[in-house]
Amino acid sequence: MAPFALAFAYDMLPSRVVFGVGCLDKLPEEIERLGATRALVLSTPEQRKEGQQMVDRLGARAVGLFDQAVMHVPIEIAEQAREQAKALGADCCVAVGGGSTTGLAKAIALVSTLPILSIPTTYAGSEMTPIWGITESGLKKTGRDPRVLPKTVLYDPTLTVTMPPLLSATSGMNSIAHCVEALYSKDANPIVSMLAEEGIRALATGLPVVVKEPANLDARSNALYGAWLGGISLGAVGMALHHKLCHTLGGSFNLPHAETHTVVLPYATAYTASAVPQAMSRIARALGSSSAAQGLYDLAASLGAPTSLAALGLKAADLDKAADIAVQNPYYNPRPITREGIRALLQDAFEGRRPQ
Ligand code: NAD
C-alpha cells in the first residue's frame, strides 16, 4: 500500500510491562511504584501455592489471598472477591495466573477502580486488554472499560514452565488467534499489524520447543513474548469471525476456551483467506508456511493439540444449531458471513480435516 493511502486511528493503551526471567523479584518495588501498600492477591484454587508465594514476597504490603478464581468469572465469585477486597481495605489487586484470574481482578476493578498488577502464567493475553467478562445466569457479558486494564504487568517466563504441554499448546494457539484476526481487523493499523506478525513468529518458534522441553526458558521466553504481542493485538483492535465462533461454541456448548480457539482457527482463517490476501501472506510468512490456514493446522497438529470439534466433545447434531447461533447477529468479517458458509466451516472443523 502506498503511504499516501494509509488512513487509520490507533489508541495506545497505557500500561507498564516488565519482562524477563527473574523479573518477579521486582514485585515489591513495582507495587511501591503503584503507590499501593495493601495488595489483595488473587489465584485459582489450583494455583494457591503461587498466590501464597506472592503474599510472601510482598510481606507487609499484602493483606490477603483470595484463591477462588474460576473460568469465565461467575458473578457470585466476583461478588465474594469484591467484598473481601473491601473488608480488607485493599488498595490494589495482584493477579497471578491465566485469563480467569486476571478476569477476576478486572471484575473487582470495574466497581472499585483498584489498580491491577498482573502476573500472567498462561498465554491468554487478558492482561493487555481493557476487556472484562462476567457470567451471570449462564450468560457471559463482556465490555470494554479502561479501568480494568492492568497498570503493571510482570512477565516472568519462569512462572510458565509448570504449564502442561496441552495447556501450553492451546493457550499459545489462542494467542496466535489474537494476532491472526488483528491482521485483518476492521481497525487494523500498521503498528498493530507489525506486532501481530511478530507475535505469530515468536509463538510459532517457541511453542514446538515448549511442548517437548517445558523447562526450556529460551523457548518459554519466546512464547511469552509472542503472547504479550497477542494480548496487545487483542486489546488494540476488534476481532472477527474466529472469535465470534469460539464465543458461540464456548457459551452455547460449554466447549473449553483455549482448545476451541486451537481447533477453529485454521478453518476461520481458510474461510476468510480470499478476502484478505495480504494479511494471509503475512501470517504464512510468520509461520514459515506457504499457506496461512494449512500452516496453522500443521502447527496445532505438531504441538499435539486437538484438531477437531468432535475431539472436544461437540456432537454432530449440534452443528446446525451452532451455525444458526453464529449467524444470528451481524458482525464484521472481511469475507461476508453466510449460513451455508459457516455450516460448511463447522463441518470441516468438526471432522478436523486439513483445510484446502
Ligand atoms: P485459565 O486462567 O482458566 O487457566 C486454566 C487452568 O490452568 C487453571 O486451573 C489455572 O490455575 C491453570 N494454570 C494457569 N497457569 C498455569 C501454569 N503456569 N502452570 C500450571 N497451571 C496453570 O486459562 P486461560 O486460557 O489463561 O484463560 C481463559 C479465560 O480467560 C477465559 O475465561 C477467557 O474468556 C478469558 N480471556 C479473557 C481475555 C480478555 O481480554 N478479557 C483474553 C483472553 C482470555
Side-chain angles (χ1 to χ4, degrees):
M1 196 193 297
F4 58 80
L6 277 179
F8 58 86
Y10 174 38
D11 288 312
M12 290 201 195
L13 297 176
S15 66
R16 173 176 164 80
V17 169
V18 181
F19 191 106
V21 170
C23 76
L24 194 55
D25 291 346
K26 301 202 171 93
L27 176 60
E29 75 187 73
E30 288 299 331
I31 285 289
E32 203 177 328
R33 198 186 164 99
L34 282 176
T37 55
R38 302 180 61 79
L40 174 63
V41 178
L42 309 174
S43 75
T44 59
E46 296 80 19
Q47 287 183 292
R48 184 184 163 80
K49 192 169 102 246
E50 285 79 358
Q52 188 56 47
Q53 277 168 10
M54 301 311 143
V55 171
D56 295 344
R57 279 176 181 267
L58 285 165
R61 287 180 186 275
V63 288
L65 168 62
F66 183 89
D67 65 1
Q68 294 300 309
V70 290
M71 187 82 97
H72 301 315
V73 196
I75 184 71
E76 299 75 18
I77 301 284
E79 294 291 5
Q80 281 176 30
R82 287 166 176 171
E83 270 161 36
Q84 184 151 346
K86 209 165 164 186
L88 293 170
D91 62 4
C92 89
C93 290
V94 171
V96 58
S100 298
T101 308
T102 307
L104 180 62
K106 288 176 168 182
I108 297 174
L110 193 60
V111 296
S112 66
T113 69
L114 289 193
I116 300 171
L117 184 149
S118 170
I119 306 170
T121 63
T122 70
Y123 305 131
S126 174
E127 66 282 353
M128 294 310 297
T129 84
I131 306 165
W132 56 268
I134 295 177
T135 305
E136 202 167 351
S137 312
L139 270 184
K140 189 167 180 179
K141 281 192 222 150
T142 59
R144 278 183 173 256
D145 192 311
R147 286 177 299 178
V148 309
L149 179 72
K151 299 276 182 290
T152 306
V153 182
L154 299 188
Y155 283 109
D156 190 334
T158 321
L159 288 171
T160 63
V161 301
T162 48
M163 246 196 291
L166 179 65
L167 180 60
S168 299
T170 56
S171 185
M173 291 302 296
N174 181 197
S175 183
I176 289 180
H178 306 329
C179 300
V180 164
E181 294 231 290
L183 280 159
Y184 53 72
S185 167
K186 66 177 184 320
D187 318 309
N189 66 68
I191 293 179
V192 172
S193 294
M194 264 192 312
L195 300 182
E197 185 179 340
E198 171 72 355
I200 297 172
R201 188 173 293 115
L203 282 155
T205 307
L207 292 176
V209 183
V210 153
V211 295
K212 290 197 187 79
E213 303 168 37
N216 183 322
L217 282 175
D218 285 338
R220 286 290 185 186
S221 296
N222 238 329
L224 194 58
Y225 165 62
W228 169 46
L229 300 176
I232 297 176
S233 304
L234 175 68
V237 298
M239 300 282 115
L241 171 66
H242 168 76
H243 278 76
K244 172 73 179 181
L245 281 175
C246 293
H247 192 80
T248 299
L249 291 166
S252 305
F253 302 95
N254 206 22
L255 297 193
H257 177 80
E259 283 93 330
T260 307
H261 273 270
T262 305
V263 170
V264 172
L265 185 61
Y267 304 100
T269 306
Y271 181 91
T272 303
S274 61
V276 279
Q278 276 191 348
M280 290 299 139
S281 322
R282 293 184 78 163
I283 296 163
R285 184 168 66 190
L287 291 167
S289 167
S290 56
S291 147
Q294 290 177 349
L296 291 166
Y297 181 91
D298 294 344
L299 176 62
S302 76
L303 298 176
T307 49
S308 74
L309 291 175
L312 301 188
L314 193 73
K315 302 274 170 285
D318 291 332
L319 293 173
D320 280 325
K321 187 176 163 205
D324 289 342
I325 299 172
V327 299
Q328 240 165 31
N329 302 310
Y331 52 92
Y332 168 81
N333 197 59
R335 180 181 160 197
I337 307 293
T338 63
R339 163 73 170 68
E340 193 190 0
I342 297 305
R343 180 63 180 80
L345 181 167
L346 287 170
Q347 187 68 40
D348 288 344
F350 180 76
E351 291 171 20
R353 339 185 164 97
R354 189 170 185 257
Q356 292 310 307

